[in-house]
Amino acid sequence: MKSSTFLSIFIGLYLIIFFGYLFGPLILMSMTAFNSSEFPRVSPWECFTLEWFDVLARDDALITGLTNSLIIAGGVVVLSVLIGLAGALILTQVWPRLRPWYYTIVISPILVPGVVLGISTLIFWDRLGTMFDARYDSVFYDGIFLTIIGQSTFISAYCMLVFISRLQRFDPALEEAALDLGATHTQTFRKILLPFLYPAIGSAAVLAFLASFENYNTTVFTVIDQSTLTTVLASKVRYGINPSISSLAVIIVAITLVGAIAHEALRRREQLKIERGEITDSSSAAANKMQGWLSGNPAMILLMLVFVAGLGTVWFGSQYSPNQCKVDVRLQKELLQQRQGPDIFSPQGGEQTQPQAPAIPDGSGSGASDTNPGRGTFGDVFDPGNLEEGEGAAPSGEGSSGGGSGDDGAAVQSPGASTFGDVFNPGNLEESAGTGSQE
Amino acid sequence: MSAGVGVELDDVWVRFGDFVAVREANVNIKGGEFFSFLGPSGCGKTTILRAISGFLEPSEGTVSIGGANMAGIGPNKRPTALIFQNLALFPLMTVWENISFSMEVKGAGKKERRHRADELLELIALADQGEKMVHELSGGQRQRVAIARALCAQPDVLLLDEPLSALDLKLRQHMRTELRAIQQQVGITFIYITHDQGEALTMSDNVAVMRDGVIEQVADGQAIYDDPATPFVASFVGENNVLSGKVTALSKNVATVDTNLGKLRARVATAVQGGLNTGDRAMLFVRPEAVGIVETGSRGGNKISATVVTEEFEGSNYHVFMETAAGEPLKMSLVNKGQSRASATGTKLTVTFDADRAVALPVGALASE
Ligand SMILES: Nc1ncnc2c1ncn2[C@@H]1O[C@H](COP(=O)(O)OP(=O)(O)O)[C@@H](O)[C@H]1O
Ligand SMILES: [Mg+2]
C-alpha cells in the first residue's frame, strides 16, 4: 500500500518535470508577450499589455520575412506533395526486388544534413546559371525559388513517407474492381485511389508547410539576399530582441493549437465512422458522438482549455488598457531610484514612454550625452537594485548597432550593465533560450 | 442476351515463375449456364477466374468469350464482371454509388444512375438502403450489393470468387438459393468458384473439380457425385469409403477387386472404362448411404463384416462408424425410418452394398482431410 503511494507520487513528480521540460519554455515565453517590460521576461511582472503585438505588426523586416516564409511554404507544399505522391506511387509499382533500393535512395535526403542540402542546392543552381549565362536577377539566383527547391528535396521525402503508410492500407482489389467495372486507369486513379489518399494529402500538406515554415539550416543558404521568418528571427536574436518575438510565438502557438484541435476532431469523427461501421448500429453511435470525441483523451481536453484561456486573454486585452498600470510602474521605479541615487531618472523615463520603438532611443541617448550617462555610469552598475533594470534596457542599446563614440565610452566605463556585459548575464541567456527554442 | 455468352478455355496454362498454377485447362462453358469451379484452397481457382476476367494473361492457350479470343484485351474491355473474394466494395461511396459505378465511368448522368441503382436495389431486396454507406450494411447485404454492382455493368458473364465464404452458415444457405434465383432471372452466364462442394452441387448446372492446377473432371453435379472420374474427385466431393485392392476380373464394366476384406464387386467409373484392366491396382469407393445392413437370408453380393465403434444420430439419418476386420474405418448412413437403433459399441454387423452403387477407379491420390 505504502510503496504504491510512493510510486504514484514519484510518477506524478516525474510527469510534472517531464511536461515542465516540454512546455515550460513555451508557457514562459508566451507570458513574456503580455508583459510590458522591454525585454522578454516574466519577472518582475510589470503590466499586462498587448502592445507587443502592435510592435510586431509594424516590424517590416519580420513581416517581409513572414510573407516570404508563407510564399515558400506554399510552393514547398505544392512541390513536395506532388513529388511525394509520385514517389510513393512508383514504389508500389516497381519490381518488388528493386523496392528496398528505391526506398533507400528516395528517403536519403532526410538523412543528409540540411546544411549540406542548402549548400549543394546553392552551388548546383549557381553552376546551372553559369552554364546558361544567366543574369543575377534570373531564377537561378532567386532566393525564394531556390529555397522552395532546396527544402523540397527533403520535405518531399517526408510527404512520401506519409503517402506510403496510407497506401499500405489500400486494398488493391478496389482498383481491380473499378477496372473490372469498365473504368479506365485514369478514372480508377481519380475516383478510387485519389479519394482514398485525400486525408494523406492533407497530412502531407500540413507536414510540408510546417517543415518549410520552421526550416532554418537549409534556408539560410538558399535564401541568398532575401529573408524568411526564421532568418529574420535569427538575426534579431543576434542583435537583440524584444517581446514582439514572443507575441509572434504566441500567434504561431495559437494557430498550431487550433490546427491540432481541428485535426483531432476530424480524426475522431472518421474513427467514429469506422467504429460505427463495425457495430453497424448507427443510431446509438450518433447519440454519443460528442462524448466520443472528448472522452478518453485528456490531452485534447487540456488543449481545449489552453485554447479557451487564449481566447479569454485576447478578450481581456481588448477590454483593458495598460496605460494606467504603466504609469504606476514608472512612478514606482522613479521612487525607488530616487531613494537610491539622484542622477538617474531621465533615460529611464524616456525608455518607458516609448516601448514601441525599442531600437532607437536609449542607445542614442547614452551615446549623445557624455555629461549625463544615465544607467551606463559607473555608480549605477554597482548598485545591485539597478542591475535588473539595465538588463531590460540593454537590448535597445545593442539595437543601435555600432553606436556613437559615447556609447563606446560607456561600454568601457561600465562593463556590468552595458552591451557586452548583458550577454553574459545568465538571466538573459535563459530568456533568449526560451525564444530560441521556438524557432 | 437470353441466348447467353459462352466461355471457352483452350489448353490454358498459367505459370508464376517455375510454379504452374493452372495446367492444361480445357473447359467449355455454355451461355446462360451456372458453372462452378470446385477445389481445395490453393488449387488455382482464382487464377483461372483472373485469366477469364483479364487480370492476368495465360502463359499458354487462349480464353474466348462469346467466341472471341480475349488475348490482349484488358479487364475493363471484357464483357465480364467479377465479384471479388473480399467483395471490394468502394468504402468511400454510398451503396447506390457503388452499384452504379460502372455507369458513372461511362459518363451516365446522376438521375439515370440513380434510377438504375434503385431498380437493382429492388432486385436484391435492399430498396431504400441506397443512401447508406457500405460499412453500415450487414455481411449478407454487402454481398448482395456486390452482386448488384456487378450486374449493373450488364456483363455477359458474371464471375464469382467464393462470394459466400465470409458468411455464416445460415446466411450462406439462404444466399445459395438467392444467387441461383438471380441467375435464372437475369439469364447470363455465371462462373462460380468455391471450395464448398455443397455450394457447387446445389447451384450449378456443371462443375469442374480441380486439384493442384489440374481440372480432374467436368460434369453435372450428379455425375460428379455418383460417377467420379478420379479418386481425388471421389474423395473430395461428399464422403466415401475407400477400399483398395487388385482387379481380378472384369465383365460388362463391373470389376471384381480383391481387397483385404475379400472379393468385392463394383462398377467401373465411366471416365476410366477401357482404361482399367485385370491385374491393375484399383480403388473402390462406396458412399455411406449406399451401405446397408444385410437382411437375414439375403443372397450373394458384397458382404463385409465389421464392428460398430460409435453411432451418431442426426435426425433424418444416423451414421454408424465401424471398423472392418482389416482395421479400416467404414461408415454407414441409414435413413431414420423409426427403426430401432440397436447398434451399441462392439456390435458385430455384416454390411453390404450394390456393385452398381460402388465405383472402381485406378489407384490415385485422395483428397487430404
Ligand atoms: N501472383 C502470384 N504469384 C505467385 N504465385 C501465385 C500468384 N497468385 C497465385 N499464386 C499461387 O497459385 C496457386 C493458386 O492460387 P489461387 O488461384 O489463388 O488458389 P485458389 O484456388 O485458392 O483460389 C497458389 O499456390 C498460389 O500461391
Ligand atoms: Mg481463391
Short mmCIF file of all heavy atoms in Angstrom, two decimals, chain B residues 45-46 85 161-162 193, ligand 2:
data_model
loop_
_atom_site.label_atom_id
_atom_site.label_comp_id
_atom_site.label_asym_id
_atom_site.label_seq_id
_atom_site.Cartn_x
_atom_site.Cartn_y
_atom_site.Cartn_z
N LYS B 45 -8.09 -21.95 -58.54
CA LYS B 45 -9.41 -21.49 -58.98
C LYS B 45 -9.41 -19.99 -59.28
O LYS B 45 -9.86 -19.54 -60.34
CB LYS B 45 -10.46 -21.77 -57.89
CG LYS B 45 -10.52 -23.21 -57.43
CD LYS B 45 -11.59 -23.42 -56.39
CE LYS B 45 -11.37 -22.63 -55.10
NZ LYS B 45 -10.25 -23.12 -54.29
N THR B 46 -8.91 -19.21 -58.32
CA THR B 46 -8.87 -17.76 -58.51
C THR B 46 -8.04 -17.41 -59.74
O THR B 46 -8.39 -16.52 -60.51
CB THR B 46 -8.29 -17.08 -57.25
OG1 THR B 46 -9.15 -17.37 -56.15
CG2 THR B 46 -8.22 -15.59 -57.43
N GLN B 85 -13.42 -12.04 -53.92
CA GLN B 85 -13.49 -12.87 -52.73
C GLN B 85 -13.82 -12.02 -51.50
O GLN B 85 -14.58 -12.41 -50.65
CB GLN B 85 -12.15 -13.59 -52.55
CG GLN B 85 -12.25 -14.85 -51.74
CD GLN B 85 -11.12 -15.81 -52.03
OE1 GLN B 85 -10.22 -15.53 -52.83
NE2 GLN B 85 -11.15 -16.97 -51.39
N ASP B 161 -16.02 -15.13 -57.07
CA ASP B 161 -14.90 -15.79 -56.41
C ASP B 161 -15.24 -16.06 -54.94
O ASP B 161 -15.12 -15.17 -54.11
CB ASP B 161 -13.64 -14.93 -56.52
CG ASP B 161 -12.40 -15.68 -56.09
OD1 ASP B 161 -12.54 -16.81 -55.56
OD2 ASP B 161 -11.29 -15.15 -56.27
N GLU B 162 -15.66 -17.25 -54.64
CA GLU B 162 -16.05 -17.64 -53.28
C GLU B 162 -16.83 -16.54 -52.57
O GLU B 162 -16.47 -16.11 -51.49
CB GLU B 162 -14.80 -17.99 -52.45
CG GLU B 162 -13.92 -19.00 -53.16
CD GLU B 162 -13.08 -19.83 -52.20
OE1 GLU B 162 -13.44 -19.91 -51.03
OE2 GLU B 162 -12.10 -20.42 -52.67
N ILE B 193 -16.90 -19.83 -58.14
CA ILE B 193 -15.74 -20.53 -57.58
C ILE B 193 -16.02 -20.85 -56.14
O ILE B 193 -16.55 -20.02 -55.40
CB ILE B 193 -14.51 -19.62 -57.68
CG1 ILE B 193 -13.89 -19.79 -59.04
CG2 ILE B 193 -13.52 -19.93 -56.60
CD1 ILE B 193 -12.58 -19.15 -59.13
MG MG C 2 -9.09 -18.03 -54.25
#
